[in-house]
Amino acid sequence: MPRFALFDVDGLRKSSTVEDFPWSETDVTLIRVDAKGVVRQAKSLTEKHSLLAVASDKDLVLATGPEVFAVDDIAAARAALRASVAREVLSARG
């Protein structure tokens, strides 16, 4: 497998530029490419939590839906996903 020194995401929009990014939406898929070139995807909330939990700043993490975004702040993405899920739980309880 190739080893990547750095991923170039200059041509992609960054997830941090989107206010209230829809992390928990079912049409948003997360894709992680690690430094060894191993690719993983996450579609469910559980999978998304797991993927972001192991992701590091050396990995390429993309959020796909209607567009493709580079996840440029993994810690913020983790927090936003947790907050998004909490909001959904509260609204479901009504």
Side-chain angles (χ1 to χ4, degrees):
M1 283 292 192
R3 288 190 153 287
F4 302 99
L6 207 54
F7 292 99
D8 181 6
V9 294
D10 287 342
L12 294 175
R13 192 168 169 201
K14 311 303 185 276
S15 61
S16 64
T17 65
V18 179
E19 189 174 330
D20 293 327
F21 193 88
W23 297 102
S24 63
E25 294 294 321
T26 56
D27 65 339
V28 172
T29 298
L30 299 182
I31 299 169
R32 174 180 167 240
V33 183
D34 68 19
K36 294 181 181 178
V38 177
V39 179
R40 298 221 178 358
Q41 74 173 14
K43 292 184 176 188
S44 72
L45 287 177
T46 303
E47 292 170 340
K48 291 175 187 179
H49 279 287
S50 296
L51 185 143
L52 289 174
V54 298
S56 76
D57 290 335
K58 294 183 180 185
D59 297 341
L60 171 64
V61 180
L62 302 172
T64 66
E67 295 180 60
V68 177
F69 294 85
V71 179
D72 55 327
D73 187 342
I74 293 171
R78 288 178 188 130
L81 180 61
R82 283 192 302 269
S84 179
V85 171
R87 279 193 304 271
E88 287 182 11
V89 168
L90 288 176
S91 68
R93 291 180 182 173

